Amino acid sequence: MHSFLVYNGCMKYDTVIFDLDGTLLDTLDDLRDAVNHAMRDFGLPEATHDEMRARLGNGSGYLIAHCVPGGREFPQYQEVFDDYLSYYEAHSRIKTAPYPGIMELLEELKAAGIKCAIVSNKPNTAAVQLARDFFSGYVLTAVGERPGVRRKPAPDTVLAAMAELGSAPESTVYVGDSEVDIDTAAAAGIDCISVTWGFRTREQLVESGAAVLVDDAAGLRGAIMG
């Protein structure tokens, strides 16, 4: 029998799994700085703001493959990737910060007894460290990309987080900012809420099949809690 929270007489989720980049944290500038540091090191063209937004969401390998000529076939692809990752892990919170209202939302979810987790396509080390730095006490577990586990949109990381939390699909919702998150939630058999402040536009989210869209933290609170 599934356990749902009741808030103001409404049936609610008891678990919220969040994407990280573009959903809880505005990481775009630090990610772009790390990419362009690697691009400069190898004499390659730097990525623009819009190019970065379009390339984020599918993991670091995808990101670097779409920044170097020839993708993963580029002879120095692995060297560029390692350069980027090393720089980013040392500079991941220079400009990064939670989006407006996120900390207040997490406080309210915690007070209501709702379990929160993070599932990201960011490398696991970086995802765990950022979760610890910004959301300690609010997020019970953080899962990033790691060897041997399929990344989003495969459901593996979401299902792993749900298993760790003891959460059922019927009472769990995934919150993200991209088509990857929509597809991940569908693959995991859970509801999805799409936020419009991240790395995709409202129009792109609608085209990708978003069923519930919110424009700010207050709207997200309402979609989760009623």
Side-chain angles (χ1 to χ4, degrees):
M1 183 174 181
H2 302 302
S3 173
F4 292 85
L5 286 175
V6 176
Y7 191 87
N8 290 339
C10 298
M11 186 177 291
K12 293 292 124 191
Y13 304 106
D14 66 15
T15 303
V16 183
I17 301 178
F18 292 96
D19 173 50
L20 186 58
D21 300 74
T23 300
L24 292 178
L25 290 178
D26 184 354
T27 56
L28 182 59
D29 288 340
D30 280 337
L31 286 165
R32 182 185 174 198
D33 287 350
V35 164
N36 287 339
H37 171 85
M39 295 301 107
R40 288 191 298 271
D41 281 352
F42 288 85
L44 299 171
E46 295 185 24
T48 68
H49 186 273
D50 288 342
E51 285 171 340
M52 281 296 298
R53 286 176 65 96
R55 294 167 181 170
L56 290 170
N58 286 282
S60 297
Y62 178 98
L63 172 62
I64 298 304
H66 284 74
C67 289
V68 300
R72 295 176 193 268
E73 300 304 314
F74 181 64
Q76 294 175 292
Y77 165 81
Q78 190 61 49
E79 294 173 63
V80 175
F81 178 88
D82 292 343
D83 188 328
Y84 153 77
L85 190 59
S86 175
Y87 184 91
Y88 180 68
E89 288 184 347
H91 303 84
S92 63
R93 53 173 302 174
I94 306 300
K95 301 173 183 176
T96 290
Y99 286 100
I102 288 298
M103 297 310 300
E104 293 82 1
L105 171 64
L106 291 175
E107 178 67 39
E108 191 165 1
L109 295 179
K110 180 180 179 179
I114 297 175
K115 296 174 287 187
C116 293
I118 289 171
V119 169
S120 173
N121 273 345
K122 183 184 289 296
N124 191 65
T125 301
V128 170
Q129 186 60 53
L130 286 171
R132 184 180 298 123
D133 289 346
F134 286 100
F135 307 119
S136 179
Y138 299 104
V139 172
L140 299 176
T141 187
V143 181
E145 184 177 13
R146 53 194 174 186
V149 181
R150 294 184 300 170
R151 61 178 172 79
K152 302 184 297 180
D156 302 37
T157 47
V158 168
L159 295 176
M162 290 170 61
E164 183 175 341
L165 297 177
S167 300
E170 296 87 346
S171 57
T172 302
V173 64
Y174 193 81
V175 179
D177 71 304
S178 76
E179 71 286 348
V180 177
D181 301 313
I182 296 168
D183 292 343
T184 300
I190 61 176
D191 290 345
C192 184
I193 300 171
S194 299
V195 305
T196 62
W197 57 74
F199 301 153
R200 301 291 187 270
T201 65
R202 170 180 281 271
E203 291 73 24
Q204 288 173 319
L205 292 169
V206 170
E207 289 174 4
S208 298
V212 179
L213 296 102
V214 297
D215 297 322
D216 53 29
L220 179 54
R221 175 210 175 278
I224 295 170
M225 301 180 72

